[in-house]
Amino acid sequence: MGVTESNESPEDRVGYVRIQDIPQLNQEHCRMRDPQRVERIINEFVCGGPERMQIVSDFDYTITKQRTDDGVAVPSSFGIFNSCKSLPDNFKEEIDKLFHKYHPIEIDPHMPIPDKVQYMIEWWTQSGKLASGFAFDLAELDQMAGQFKHALRDGTHELFEALQRLQIPVLVFSAGLGNSVVSLMQQANIMQPNVKVVSNFLRFRDGLLDGFQEPMIHIFNKNETVLEGGEYYELVHTRDHIIVMGDSLGDADMAAGVPASSHILRIGFLFHHVEANMEKYMNAFDIVLVDDQTMSVPQALLALIDNRHQMRHPHGSNGTAPTQGLPNAAL
Ligand SMILES: C[n+]1cn([C@@H]2O[C@H](COP(=O)(O)OP(=O)(O)O)[C@@H](O)[C@H]2O)c2nc(N)[nH]c(=O)c21
Ligand SMILES: [Mg+2]
């Protein structure tokens, strides 16, 4: 007698998760281009368990809120640095000039990407040159960043706690200023050993600021290809179940460079010009959350993965090696 072939479809299996059973995905402001694809990936994630998961997240307005309860605007990571009082008098003026020259290029819908890349490299290089040749006390940056430690999305602590407990690596990718990102995350107590920040970090030489450390992270190389060969790449390249989170369209590509067989679920936080942007966001992200200032959706997905994991490993052992502490200055 051979093995009886089962006609059972995956949907009939015990433990199969359905979108309609996940309240966070059934909210009015949660949009999905292809709910069946989302459901399929979620089931892959739940079956694969925490050992195969990694998170890749943008920082500005993804980990921080797009809109705060008290209406206070949250500065970007560059903005936190630029508002430091001790910077030379002309610094702010010059950095603003660069912004007005290059930001329209960054968002120009007609210019081809390869042309934009050249301009973006110019912009980040010139910003680095401006941030050179004067003394700067990082304590001032800490003080500025600390003012916004409560401006993280609701549920961020709980999400990061769960990710740490399940030893899921988190890559925070920012084309902004890494020192602000790390400082804010440290002061908010979410800079756990499983979290790595890849960004632009200030460099000092002979006690003076000397621009940014290499490699430059700009908006068009903000993806896993810049990690290749590095320590973090080694840690995560076998983790083929990936949640990507971002608020800008380009953030959807942050997992570029991971093996093609990976399952990637992209979550996009849409806030500005909702109607005008909706179609593009729906095409770029699997889940689009409109004016959602929480981490409820990633938390819900993680809870599903966690619950199944607890059922398999009721005594707490998950068979994986502990996540190493990760250096944040270099790749
Ligand atoms: C070099 N430079 C780049 N930016 C902006 O920083 C952003 C960093 O990009 P990102 O990491 O994708 O962050 P986001 O979450 O804010 O989108 C880019 O979109 C640029 O518009 C900059 N912004 C300021 N204020 N000053 C700068 O020197 C500067
Ligand atoms: Mg952002």
Side-chain angles (χ1 to χ4, degrees), residues 248-266:
S248 302
L249 279 173
D251 295 336
D253 295 325
M254 287 189 297
V258 304
S261 56
S262 307
H263 295 285
I264 305 173
L265 190 72
R266 298 174 177 86

Side-chain angles (χ1 to χ4, degrees), residues 16-63:
Y16 185 84
V17 181
R18 285 190 171 73
I19 292 276
Q20 62 257 41
D21 299 329
I22 308 172
Q24 292 81 354
L25 295 186
N26 287 279
Q27 303 173 93
E28 182 68 28
H29 72 279
C30 174
R31 317 276 173 86
M32 288 172 270
R33 176 191 56 222
D34 184 352
Q36 281 176 340
R37 177 187 140 81
V38 172
E39 187 170 287
R40 211 175 53 239
I41 297 180
I42 290 174
N43 280 281
E44 294 283 350
F45 286 1
V46 170
C47 290
E51 309 88 86
R52 284 177 70 176
M53 291 296 308
Q54 59 165 306
I55 311 290
V56 183
S57 178
D58 169 57
F59 178 74
D60 286 317
Y61 313 113
T62 296
I63 291 182

Side-chain angles (χ1 to χ4, degrees), residues 43-223:
N43 280 281
E44 294 283 350
F45 286 1
V46 170
C47 290
E51 309 88 86
R52 284 177 70 176
M53 291 296 308
Q54 59 165 306
I55 311 290
V56 183
S57 178
D58 169 57
F59 178 74
D60 286 317
Y61 313 113
T62 296
I63 291 182
T64 52
K65 284 181 173 171
Q66 295 159 308
R67 176 177 59 79
T68 55
D69 296 339
D70 55 10
V72 172
V74 184
S76 69
S77 54
F78 271 125
I80 288 175
F81 175 64
N82 295 347
S83 56
C84 287
K85 303 280 180 291
S86 73
L87 295 172
D89 286 345
N90 65 341
F91 180 85
K92 182 90 177 64
E93 203 178 303
E94 295 297 320
I95 214 86
D96 284 350
K97 270 191 209 157
L98 291 180
F99 191 89
H100 289 120
K101 174 172 177 192
Y102 289 108
H103 190 249
I105 299 176
E106 177 184 356
I107 59 173
D108 182 340
H110 306 297
M111 189 186 289
I113 302 280
D115 295 352
K116 286 193 185 194
V117 170
Q118 293 314 311
Y119 285 112
M120 294 304 108
I121 291 174
E122 255 179 51
W123 185 9
W124 265 254
T125 305
Q126 293 190 30
S127 280
K129 283 197 183 129
L130 279 179
S132 296
F134 53 88
F136 180 71
D137 186 353
L138 286 172
E140 189 181 2
L141 191 74
D142 288 337
Q143 200 263 327
M144 282 291 170
Q147 295 175 24
F148 299 98
K149 66 181 178 190
H150 301 299
L152 305 187
R153 283 180 185 281
D154 298 334
T156 303
H157 284 104
E158 293 80 355
L159 176 69
F160 274 69
E161 250 167 50
L163 290 166
Q164 162 67 2
R165 180 168 45 78
L166 295 168
Q167 298 176 5
I168 297 176
V170 180
L171 171 60
V172 177
F173 233 136
S174 172
L177 190 75
N179 301 76
S180 308
V181 173
V182 168
S183 177
L184 208 160
M185 290 180 65
Q186 267 168 351
Q187 296 186 67
N189 290 323
I190 58 166
M191 199 61 223
Q192 320 272 21
N194 60 321
V195 177
K196 174 158 175 87
V197 175
V198 171
S199 184
N200 301 294
F201 286 87
L202 293 169
R203 183 169 56 197
F204 286 86
R205 185 180 298 185
D206 302 329
L208 300 181
L209 257 189
D210 185 37
F212 309 128
Q213 298 173 29
E214 303 285 330
M216 174 195 292
I217 309 289
H218 56 77
I219 49 165
F220 294 114
N221 70 355
K222 199 175 103 164
N223 61 60

Side-chain angles (χ1 to χ4, degrees), residues 268-303:
F269 294 98
L270 172 55
F271 180 64
H272 294 291
H273 310 295
V274 173
E275 289 309 314
N277 279 319
M278 184 56 87
E279 196 182 336
K280 284 184 184 149
Y281 273 67
M282 289 294 270
N283 288 330
F285 294 98
D286 299 294
I287 300 175
V288 177
L289 299 168
V290 180
D291 188 9
D292 181 329
Q293 307 305 325
T294 77
M295 288 293 190
S296 339
V297 166
Q299 280 180 281
L301 301 182
L302 216 65

Side-chain angles (χ1 to χ4, degrees), residues 7-16 18:
N7 290 328
E8 202 185 43
S9 65
E11 292 80 2
D12 297 328
R13 284 194 201 126
V14 176
Y16 185 84
R18 285 190 171 73

